[in-house]
Amino acid sequence: MHKTILETFRKRLTPLKDRMSIFTEEFKHSKEKQMQWSAFLRRSRLDSFKTFAEAIGHLEQFIEPACSSKLLSSGHDTIWKPEVWEWQ
């Protein structure tokens, strides 16, 4: 997963550190993003995270460990456990 994320950022010519901007409190609680998120849920007829902040929080919980070099340097295979929302 780590290598895939790095490759995606490289192809898009985006520094990996730029990902942090979506995890700021200001971005998570943006009224504009919340409106877009609500419209997306309505259009898609999805029953998902009700707030944009909640969705971004879960995204951060998933993606940050995968972006970390600690994941690779641990020497262990890690598996995403969606029922508990964590890498093990």
Side-chain angles (χ1 to χ4, degrees):
M1 176 67 87
H2 180 80
K3 289 177 186 176
T4 303
I5 290 169
L6 290 177
E7 185 62 18
T8 299
F9 275 78
R10 187 190 68 73
K11 284 182 179 178
R12 293 182 179 181
L13 303 175
T14 304
L16 187 61
K17 65 180 171 53
D18 286 1
R19 76 188 184 286
M20 299 308 293
S21 64
I22 69 165
F23 302 131
T24 64
E25 291 302 309
E26 181 181 357
F27 186 81
K28 284 182 190 178
H29 297 285
S30 163
K31 288 181 182 181
E32 180 183 352
K33 294 297 177 193
Q34 179 59 52
M35 287 179 3
Q36 291 171 341
W37 179 250
S38 295
F40 168 75
L41 291 177
R42 253 190 329 275
R43 267 192 329 272
S44 305
R45 295 189 176 122
L46 293 174
D47 184 28
S48 184
F49 307 114
K50 297 299 179 200
T51 68
F52 182 70
E54 184 183 9
I56 293 297
H58 276 79
L59 177 63
E60 182 176 19
Q61 198 172 353
F62 172 76
I63 205 116
E64 274 310 292
C67 288
S68 169
S69 57
K70 283 201 284 187
L71 191 70
L72 284 179
S73 64
S74 71
H76 297 100
D77 287 333
T78 55
I79 298 171
W80 176 249
K81 298 289 187 173
E83 62 277 1
V84 292
W85 274 92
E86 67 181 36
W87 291 95
Q88 295 182 350

